[in-house]
């Protein structure tokens, strides 16, 4: 498991560096089997022909992946890496650049949006503002879910208030466990219950439509008692 997680982190690190250096979209599977690099124009043509032009009725959704974390949780299989602070702002700029390139292929209104990770709340207030300067332009269908994932380690009241002024209507807070020993075993930092309570109080005050809390069963070190 540890070797696999290290391999994933190395691949993602290469992916991000190459994407910054060249104006290319380099699919993650490029590092596994496919040695061809596709330009954005190549990918856009394939997408338009294979999806847009061939589909009379589409229900589009948007997913944005923020692949940075404070630490790699032992249970996580998503692509992420230990945060390199100097990567975050360029990564957000690249997301905005690629969205601008693709926006004429997106059918509005969107059915849903999910910003996950990694750890989206690891972004600074400035980076979150930059991202939503674009996302707030989107339109959504009635009763659509627009979710932003947060970790108690990096979530702050300022970030919650900022999200409250955006199109986000659902937040998902990844607590996983309140047992300090379990958190240590899965390589997560212990967060005080008072901090989590403050976050939830602010979220309720902001009146998000949906406040989700993630907890996990079956983690290493868990017993019936804890």
């Amino acid at each position: 498991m540890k070797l696999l997680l290290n391999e994933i982190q190395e691949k993602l690190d290469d992916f991000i560096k190459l994407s910054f250096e060249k104006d290319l979209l380099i699919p993650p599977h490029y590092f596994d089997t496919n040695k061809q690099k596709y330009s954005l124009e190549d990918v856009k043509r394939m997408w338009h022909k294979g999806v847009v032009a061939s589909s009379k009725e589409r229900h589009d959704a948007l997913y944005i992946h923020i692949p940075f974390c404070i630490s790699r949780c032992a249970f996580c299989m998503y692509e992420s890496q230990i945060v390199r602070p100097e990567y975050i702002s360029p990564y957000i700029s690249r997301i905005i650049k690629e969205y601008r390139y693709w926006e004429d292929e997106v059918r509005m209104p969107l059915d849903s949006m999910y910003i996950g990770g990694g750890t989206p709340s690891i972004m600074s207030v400035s980076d979150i503002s930059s991202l939503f300067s674009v996302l707030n332009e989107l339109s959504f269908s009635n009763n659509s879910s627009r979710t932003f994932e947060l970790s108690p380690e990096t979530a702050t009241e300022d970030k919650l208030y900022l999200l409250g002024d955006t199109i986000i209507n659902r937040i998902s807070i990844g607590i996983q466990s309140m047992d300090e020993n379990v958190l240590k075993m899965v390589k997560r930092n212990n967060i005080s219950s008072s901090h989590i309570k403050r976050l939830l109080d602010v979220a309720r005050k902001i009146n998000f439509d949906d406040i989700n809390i993630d907890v996990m069963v079956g983690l290493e070190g868990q017993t019936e008692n804890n």
Side-chain angles (χ1 to χ4, degrees), residues 6 33 40 47 59 64 84 89 99 123 135 141 165 186 195 212 220:
N6 289 340
T33 57
L40 283 172
W47 174 266
H59 299 277
I64 295 175
R84 273 78 160 170
S89 291
Y99 175 74
M123 290 187 286
L135 298 184
S141 58
D165 289 330
V186 298
H195 174 66
N212 177 71
E220 187 176 1

Side-chain angles (χ1 to χ4, degrees), residues 17-72:
K17 287 190 291 186
L18 284 169
S19 293
F20 290 165
E21 291 167 4
K22 302 178 180 180
D23 192 17
L24 293 172
L25 175 68
I26 306 173
H29 69 257
Y30 160 76
F31 297 102
D32 296 322
T33 57
N34 194 334
K35 299 303 180 183
Q36 181 180 3
K37 296 179 183 177
Y38 298 100
S39 70
L40 283 172
E41 289 77 11
D42 292 335
V43 176
K44 192 172 186 179
R45 280 194 296 270
M46 289 187 284
W47 174 266
H48 186 87
K49 180 179 179 181
V51 177
V52 178
S54 64
S55 176
K56 294 181 180 179
E57 293 186 9
R58 281 171 40 213
H59 299 277
D60 289 358
L62 178 64
Y63 174 76
I64 295 175
H65 189 70
I66 308 299
F68 305 105
C69 294
I70 295 294
S71 59
R72 281 286 303 181

Side-chain angles (χ1 to χ4, degrees), residues 108-218:
M108 300 289 181
L110 294 172
D111 275 0
S112 66
M113 180 179 74
Y114 196 99
I115 302 175
T119 310
S121 57
I122 207 168
M123 290 187 286
S124 67
V125 167
S126 176
D127 285 327
I128 294 173
S129 296
S130 295
L131 180 60
F132 280 95
S133 67
V134 173
L135 298 184
N136 283 338
E137 300 172 4
L138 303 176
S139 62
F140 292 86
S141 58
N142 293 334
N143 300 317
S144 62
S145 176
R146 288 99 66 188
T147 302
F148 191 98
E149 280 188 357
L150 301 108
S151 167
E153 292 180 272
T154 53
T156 64
E157 294 181 24
D158 287 346
K159 292 176 184 179
L160 281 173
Y161 279 115
L162 176 58
L163 291 172
D165 289 330
T166 70
I167 55 174
I168 292 297
N169 63 1
R170 178 179 184 270
I171 59 170
S172 181
I173 303 177
I175 295 175
Q176 317 310 358
S177 173
M178 291 299 296
D179 186 279
E180 184 174 358
N181 291 327
V182 171
L183 292 173
K184 284 181 180 178
M185 295 189 77
V186 298
K187 304 186 185 306
R188 288 178 69 93
N189 295 321
N190 185 47
I191 303 297
S192 69
S193 58
S194 60
H195 174 66
I196 293 172
K197 184 179 185 301
R198 281 196 302 273
L199 293 176
L200 293 173
D201 287 342
V202 170
R204 293 188 186 99
K205 182 179 179 180
I206 295 171
N207 290 323
F208 286 106
D209 292 344
D210 188 351
I211 301 171
N212 177 71
I213 297 173
D214 277 351
V215 293
M216 300 186 74
V217 175

